[in-house]
Amino acid sequence: IINKSSISSIHCCPTMKVASIAVALALFTTTSAFAPNGALPAVRIAQPTNALDEVVIVGRAPATSSRDSSLSLFGSRWRKARKFNAPAKAGGADITEKEVRALFELWNSALATGDSRIVASRYTKSPVLLPTVSDQPRTDFASVQDYFDAFLLKKPLGKILDGNINIGDGWASDSGIYEFTMGATGDVVKARYTYNYVKEDGIWKIQHHHSSVMPEEIAMGKPITKSEVRSLFSLWNNALATEDPKQVAARYAKNGVLLPTVSDTPRTDFASIEDYFVNFLKSKPQGEILESHVTIGKNTASDVGLYEFTLGASGKKVAGRYS
């Protein structure tokens, strides 16, 4: 049997030949489930010349990264990666617009695994990723994985709002506007995108990915209401309820300043903010605003007043001033 697979050979005796072929076909059927057009890969069975002939499967072993975190050949991570990197349909026929859009959904499903290696496997061997929240272009597996190590902490789920697809000889592009809902914080972020896809080793992959924030929202400021400003406190309070200091620290800007209630040390970066909440969350705090004064400016908003925390670990209540 000749196909693109990691299995190198199956040798069966005459009494088990039919069962072994059936098992091999079943394996190939499952690996093809995520091909963009949903079609099964072609399988050819070589006819034996006599009763003792062996049945041989010739295929290609998966490429692995030199990093320690590379995908294991027979482990569950490699099987999961194969699910997101099935061969394209045979015959070299052009990809359809529906199949191009399905490639985004494949990438989006890879995000949902929370595994940066699986996301990075959707890119070619020599990709160009110009990400939304990093100034550094990513041009190989390791740097693409590194970007998604941080981005996946936000638990993003994407949705295309407006897309334009173009198809050429051996390539396809999808560009437009997409939106991400961050499961870790509840934030919704809109951005412009471009995906350029090429077929590499028979698999459609991302060669170029450009994502950038909406320019008018930067220049003019997206309007926000007073109720929306107050709801930002609720997002922060919900992050406290997870008892995960990383999720709380993710609510702060890159150059945020935290002057905490029970520490004399100002916290001015992700690591130091996370460090503060490692201890604070042990008291299982839940906050409530008692008095609020909201001010809205250009690309800024402030909320100052009095709040009160109920500490679930002890039952105590603590009031404080905030901004």
Side-chain angles (χ1 to χ4, degrees):
I1 302 172
I2 300 177
N3 208 315
K4 295 179 178 177
S5 168
S6 62
I7 302 173
S8 60
S9 69
I10 292 179
H11 186 182
C12 52
C13 64
T15 58
M16 297 181 63
K17 185 176 301 180
V18 173
S20 299
I21 292 174
V23 170
L25 289 175
L27 288 171
F28 287 113
T29 301
T30 56
T31 57
S32 66
F34 280 76
N37 68 335
L40 298 179
V43 177
R44 179 172 63 83
I45 302 177
Q47 295 298 326
T49 56
N50 60 66
L52 297 179
D53 280 349
E54 65 178 359
V55 179
V56 180
I57 300 175
V58 182
R60 182 180 70 250
T64 57
S65 167
S66 59
R67 294 177 51 148
D68 292 339
S69 58
S70 59
L71 300 168
S72 172
L73 179 60
F74 294 108
S76 61
R77 293 191 183 279
W78 182 80
R79 288 196 298 272
K80 192 180 290 185
R82 285 287 294 172
K83 170 181 175 181
F84 293 95
N85 292 285
K89 60 186 177 182
D94 288 339
I95 191 171
T96 66
E97 290 192 6
K98 182 178 179 181
E99 290 168 342
V100 172
R101 183 54 49 80
L103 293 175
F104 169 80
E105 297 301 336
L106 198 60
W107 177 82
N108 201 31
S109 297
L111 294 183
T113 68
D115 190 328
S116 59
R117 287 168 287 190
I118 291 176
V119 181
S121 75
R122 286 299 306 139
Y123 292 77
T124 63
K125 297 171 186 174
S126 56
V128 176
L129 167 62
L130 304 176
T132 313
V133 292
S134 172
D135 294 336
Q136 179 184 347
R138 312 300 174 117
T139 56
D140 56 23
F141 184 95
S143 60
V144 171
Q145 179 188 345
D146 176 73
Y147 173 73
F148 286 107
D149 281 341
F151 186 59
L152 291 180
L153 293 175
K154 302 177 185 292
K155 300 184 179 179
L157 179 64
K159 177 175 67 172
I160 288 179
L161 303 179
D162 182 19
N164 300 279
I165 293 173
N166 290 285
I167 298 172
D169 184 10
W171 62 270
S173 70
D174 187 357
S175 58
I177 297 170
Y178 54 14
E179 182 179 81
F180 287 93
T181 300
M182 306 301 178
T185 63
D187 288 350
V188 177
V189 180
K190 192 184 297 183
R192 300 179 297 176
Y193 73 87
T194 297
Y195 293 94
N196 288 339
Y197 301 102
V198 298
K199 195 184 293 186
E200 181 179 83
D201 298 330
I203 300 170
W204 285 99
K205 290 198 173 188
I206 304 165
Q207 197 282 320
H208 178 92
H209 180 191
H210 183 187
S211 183
S212 58
V213 295
M214 305 296 286
E216 291 182 8
E217 292 184 6
I218 298 174
M220 300 173 63
K222 183 179 179 180
I224 188 171
T225 65
K226 288 188 176 183
S227 63
E228 288 173 333
V229 172
R230 291 193 179 97
S231 71
L232 295 175
F233 171 82
S234 297
L235 285 176
W236 177 80
N237 202 32
N238 291 340
L240 294 182
T242 67
E243 300 183 20
D244 183 348
K246 283 186 168 58
Q247 291 198 34
V248 182
R251 291 295 310 145
Y252 291 77
K254 293 178 182 178
N255 58 346
V257 177
L258 168 62
L259 304 177
T261 312
V262 292
S263 172
D264 294 337
T265 305
R267 313 299 173 118
T268 57
D269 57 25
F270 185 94
S272 61
I273 292 172
E274 178 189 357
D275 175 72
Y276 172 73
F277 285 106
V278 166
N279 291 317
F280 185 60
L281 291 180
K282 291 176 182 177
S283 61
K284 301 184 185 299
Q286 271 296 282
E288 178 187 5
I289 289 180
L290 303 178
E291 183 180 337
S292 169
H293 302 275
V294 173
T295 303
I296 298 173
K298 183 179 179 180
N299 286 332
T300 67
S302 68
D303 185 1
V304 300
L306 301 175
Y307 56 12
E308 182 180 74
F309 286 94
T310 300
L311 307 180
S314 63
K316 293 182 179 179
K317 289 183 180 292
V318 179
R321 296 178 295 178
Y322 74 87
S323 62

